[in-house]
Amino acid sequence: MQNLWRDEDAARYPGDLGLRVYTSRLLGRDRTLVLHGGGNTSVKLVERNRHGEDEDILYVKGSGWDLETIEAAGFAPVRLAPMQRLAQLDQLSDPDMVNELITNMTRAGAPTPSVETILHACIPYKYVDHTHADALLAITNTPGGEQYVREIYGDEVIVIPYVMPGFDLARLVAHEFQRQAHTGTRGMILLKHGVFSFGGTAREAYERMIELISAAEEFLVRRKAWSVTAPQKPEICDASLELAQLRRDVSAAAGAPMILRVRCTEQTRAFARHPQIGRLSQQGPATPDHVIRTKRLPMLGRDVVAYAQAYRAYFDAHAPHAKAPKTMLDPAPRVALDSAFGLASFGRSAKDARIVEELYEHTIDVILRAETLERYEALPARDIFDMEYWDLEQNKLKKSGKAPVFAGEIVLITGAASGIGKAATESFLARGAAVAALDINPAIEAMHQRTDFLGLRCDVTDEKATEAALDEIIRRFGGIDMLVLNAGMFAANRAVHELPTAQWREVFNLNLDAGFALMRACHPYLKLAPRSGRIVVIGSKNVPAPGPGAAAYSASKAALTQLARVAALEWGGDGIRINTLHPNAVFDTGIWTDDMLAERARRYGLSVEQYKANNVLRTEVTSRDVAELAAELCGPLFAKTTGAQIPVDGGNERVI
């Protein structure tokens, strides 16, 4: 394992808390140590209170912060002495523990302290680091895990049997630290959970962590249990309606739309085809910390109904012990293993699905290394259930608030690199949708760097290119719930008798034919949308009120509008709603150039500014105005509207 400490980098983080931030980020950068909010770090400082008295303060990672990006504000300051006294109690309920943590904070606006705060307080070192290192999990998730740990470290580490995080674990650590610790102690191993290192300085604690994990990796190498997976070479898997159907079934089990993300690599497909896949995958996760995201077990194959029935039986068998109410039950899988596509992950958002994917890829490595070393052996189901339905975790879910209106849903937007399409991308992202954006402009690919955005360079007049784009969208998100047909062109003004056939056909090819082909290709996916499919067609004021010099544009938009009306009639039985917006004078789009705008203003005898607001309301219509209405048309307010044509023009006398 590589030591990432650099003196010149550390110098940019002044003070003890600054160095705590620096080494926390170093740990967070290594995905084999911590993933997506996992792990924990702390530092003990002396600060002066309002009375001028020195107090020992424990700064511990706060809830909701990730070690890779944590800042000083991400550490919760808690009075140390009360935390150490709590560890002396015989018992303390989780709600009471959280209350004690919060009431002993010295800054009201700080994040909620970690549930491992008392544990950190009991370790008598200034800096404490905690990770869920893959290498240690592979070693301790075996029948001989403790024996291997003793073989690797001797008496240099304290060994703690698995106990669920919280007060009981903190109390046990306090006791065992006093019993096992000595001057040569440099770490602590929590079996099937993780590893702690500590030191008098940030560098000492960090480098001890590197040394501890390196020793575990070297042990696995010696036992030929390190390089056990195939190289991760992406392999194109057929994106078919079966994946969209799988997403629909999982969404039905979850009671809400879900994102499906396919990870088809040599590693994932080889694992899905492993001759012992049933035994290896149906025990539990590599660490209970992952169960909140990935659930207890992955689904083998695609029978969601059978998985949900088995999960309900599992819940019924264990809920009496944990007193978990039925309202907590979510029988939908978060991971599916299938020989055809390898690994599929599910989440209420694209981010959640990506997190699940990464967690389970690391789980595969842990399982196969443990199996090569001896035999993979996860925690008993009861321990995993207790973690999955832990009231503290359930309270986090309750506090997360109401889900965005399009959470778990996918929208495909054409012509998304500028104008109305670009604004629509922003509008749908703001409402929680995953956005697949197509445009012939290559800038679309880098328009956003986020997991819920997929920008694809695509000429929508090329049906093969469009089919390839749809395949990639299905692999990334699992389906298409909404379609915004926005790509279009406005050719130079020509009277009908001067209009070249080539220009006529070029305009129709993009404005009409491409829209028809994409609607047809998306229809089977829209039929499978968990909340029914929706299409918004961006038409034009020129449909009800054409103007001279725009024959090709006006006729193509009119034909597209008529196509939408017919499709609304035909696809209503499939639950698909299709509505059309007719914007006018939206001048911040790619269609309008400065020269075109000036020419049209001169034709009407107006200045450019007067021309922009040349409507009944004397207001300018922007791309965002159209985009916001397009998003609303896909939302619940218009759930019973289809076949509508709505002007977005500030009021046009000829239309009215």
Side-chain angles (χ1 to χ4, degrees):
M1 171 157 287
Q2 184 180 4
N3 185 336
L4 301 177
W5 177 282
R6 299 291 180 270
D7 289 336
E8 57 273 24
D9 294 335
R12 295 198 292 268
Y13 293 84
D16 293 335
L17 184 57
L19 289 174
R20 176 68 289 170
V21 171
Y22 174 59
T23 54
S24 297
R25 290 183 175 184
L26 295 184
L27 295 172
R29 283 167 55 184
D30 193 327
R31 291 295 200 234
T32 67
L33 293 179
V34 294
L35 284 171
H36 304 294
N40 217 314
T41 59
S42 67
V43 60
K44 300 176 180 72
L45 304 177
V46 177
E47 294 184 339
R48 185 151 296 185
N49 63 24
R50 293 288 183 185
H51 303 289
E53 302 163 339
D54 286 341
E55 278 189 312
D56 292 321
I57 305 298
L58 173 68
Y59 279 81
V60 64
K61 192 192 84 167
S63 176
W65 285 81
D66 194 304
L67 287 182
E68 185 177 11
T69 56
I70 197 166
E71 301 172 359
F75 288 92
V78 186
R79 294 180 180 87
L80 180 62
M83 297 300 102
Q84 293 172 333
R85 289 186 63 193
L86 288 174
Q88 300 171 14
L89 297 175
D90 292 331
Q91 58 184 8
L92 184 66
S93 70
D94 290 332
D96 287 343
M97 177 185 70
V98 172
N99 181 69
E100 291 293 331
L101 300 184
I102 295 174
T103 56
N104 279 285
M105 290 169 54
T106 62
R107 191 175 73 244
T112 302
S114 164
V115 296
E116 294 179 342
T117 297
I118 301 175
L119 188 158
H120 281 250
C122 294
I123 298 178
Y125 285 85
K126 183 169 184 173
Y127 287 90
V128 178
D129 296 348
H130 171 42
T131 72
H132 306 292
D134 288 356
L136 258 300
L137 291 175
I139 291 169
T140 61
N141 275 285
T142 61
E146 182 174 356
Q147 176 183 341
Y148 296 134
V149 168
R150 300 291 189 192
E151 180 180 340
I152 297 168
Y153 304 110
D155 65 351
E156 294 183 337
V157 299
I158 297 168
V159 181
I160 306 291
Y162 175 78
V163 174
M164 185 172 165
F167 174 74
D168 290 342
L169 176 59
R171 185 169 179 272
L172 177 62
V173 166
H175 177 267
E176 290 299 313
F177 214 98
Q178 290 183 348
R179 191 177 71 84
Q180 297 186 44
H182 53 81
T183 56
T185 300
R186 58 194 181 101
M188 180 171 64
I189 307 297
L190 277 58
L191 299 178
K192 300 186 178 183
H193 180 163
V195 54
F196 281 78
S197 65
F198 26 78
T201 66
R203 182 169 188 170
E204 182 179 37
Y206 169 73
E207 292 187 339
R208 280 183 172 177
M209 178 65 72
I210 300 304
E211 292 166 2
L212 291 169
I213 306 307
S214 295
E217 291 176 350
E218 291 164 5
F219 173 81
L220 291 170
V221 170
R222 290 196 303 272
R223 294 298 186 96
K224 296 182 171 38
W226 181 250
S227 300
V228 293
T229 59
Q232 294 186 20
K233 297 178 181 177
E235 185 175 335
I236 299 299
C237 306
D238 293 334
S240 68
L241 286 175
E242 294 178 359
L243 288 174
Q245 182 64 59
L246 176 59
R247 171 183 174 250
R248 181 185 174 96
D249 293 344
V250 171
S251 298
M258 301 285 281
I259 298 293
L260 179 157
R261 183 182 174 99
V262 170
R263 181 65 168 162
C264 188
T265 66
E266 290 186 14
Q267 179 212 31
T268 59
R269 292 186 76 174
F271 186 69
R273 296 171 178 177
H274 195 287
Q276 297 292 320
I277 186 62
R279 177 177 63 83
L280 296 180
S281 68
Q282 300 301 292
Q283 294 186 57
T287 171
D289 290 68
H290 292 177
V291 75
I292 305 301
R293 299 279 196 177
T294 64
K295 300 190 78 67
R296 184 177 69 100
L297 301 174
M299 178 172 67
L300 296 180
R302 310 177 195 182
D303 192 340
V304 179
V305 173
Y307 179 92
Q309 290 174 343
Y311 191 86
R312 289 189 182 95
Y314 159 77
F315 183 93
D316 291 339
H318 294 86
H321 305 292
K323 298 181 181 179
K326 285 284 187 183
T327 54
M328 293 183 180
L329 177 61
D330 174 6
R334 294 300 184 268
V335 175
L337 298 170
D338 188 279
S339 60
F341 56 71
L343 168 67
S345 57
F346 307 93
R348 287 288 280 117
S349 68
K351 179 181 178 180
D352 287 345
R354 178 67 184 91
I355 289 172
V356 171
E357 175 189 284
E358 189 168 0
L359 288 173
Y360 206 80
E361 282 191 290
H362 282 261
T363 297
I364 291 173
D365 284 343
V366 170
I367 290 174
L368 293 180
R369 285 169 180 157
E371 187 70 10
T372 304
L373 178 62
E374 182 181 2
R375 185 177 77 253
Y376 180 65
E377 182 181 84
L379 283 167
R382 170 117 178 235
D383 287 320
I384 297 171
F385 183 93
D386 289 344
M387 190 70 181
E388 184 172 1
Y389 288 97
W390 190 13
D391 55 358
L392 296 185
E393 291 295 338
Q394 294 299 324
N395 287 338
K396 286 182 185 178
L397 296 177
K398 292 178 183 177
K399 292 178 181 178
S400 61
K402 185 178 180 181
V405 64
F406 294 143
E409 296 195 279
I410 304 105
V411 60
L412 170 57
I413 303 172
T414 65
S418 62
I420 293 172
K422 184 176 182 180
T425 295
E426 301 289 349
S427 295
F428 279 91
L429 285 173
R431 288 165 170 80
V435 175
L438 305 186
D439 202 289
I440 198 168
N441 184 346
I444 192 67
E445 297 177 349
M447 196 164 78
H448 292 284
Q449 299 297 322
R450 44 193 291 176
T451 55
D452 55 1
F453 176 82
L454 175 62
L456 297 174
R457 183 183 184 184
C458 179
D459 180 354
V460 293
T461 66
D462 182 341
E463 288 192 31
K464 288 187 176 179
T466 302
E467 289 173 3
L470 291 180
D471 284 347
E472 189 163 351
I473 293 166
I474 302 307
R475 287 194 299 273
R476 178 69 68 88
F477 298 133
I480 297 170
D481 301 290
M482 299 166 283
L483 171 63
V484 178
L485 285 176
N486 169 69
M489 65 181 298
F490 188 105
N493 282 336
R494 295 283 181 89
V496 173
H497 63 280
E498 298 175 339
L499 183 60
T501 301
Q503 188 178 93
W504 171 272
R505 288 176 176 167
E506 180 186 17
V507 173
F508 264 74
N509 192 29
L510 178 58
N511 290 2
L512 175 64
D513 297 345
F516 158 72
L518 192 55
M519 284 176 65
R520 181 181 60 189
C522 288
H523 174 256
Y525 298 108
L526 293 167
K527 282 178 63 176
L528 293 172
R531 288 181 177 161
S532 299
R534 287 137 284 168
I535 299 176
V536 176
V537 173
I538 304 300
S540 170
K541 180 275 300 181
N542 280 30
V543 173
Y553 179 77
S554 299
S556 63
K557 287 292 187 178
L560 181 64
T561 300
Q562 195 74 344
L563 171 66
R565 294 175 69 194
V566 174
L569 292 170
E570 295 179 352
W571 296 357
D574 298 324
I576 300 172
R577 298 189 286 110
I578 307 174
N579 295 293
T580 302
L581 294 180
H582 290 317
N584 184 43
V586 183
F587 300 113
D588 59 346
T589 68
I591 288 178
W592 289 92
T593 64
D594 291 340
D595 291 342
M596 183 186 298
L597 187 59
E599 189 275 330
R600 293 298 293 270
R602 283 194 300 271
R603 176 176 295 187
Y604 285 88
L606 301 171
S607 69
V608 170
E609 292 306 313
Q610 289 172 329
Y611 182 69
K612 285 183 177 181
N614 187 27
N615 52 55
V616 171
L617 296 177
R618 297 293 185 263
T619 185
E620 183 177 348
V621 180
T622 67
S623 293
R624 186 176 184 277
D625 296 327
V626 182
E628 286 291 292
L629 185 50
E632 286 300 322
L633 274 174
C634 292
L637 288 178
F638 290 89
K640 297 181 180 180
T641 300
T642 192
Q645 299 180 56
I646 303 174
V648 194
D649 56 13
N652 183 280
E653 292 178 354
R654 294 173 61 208
V655 172
I656 295 173

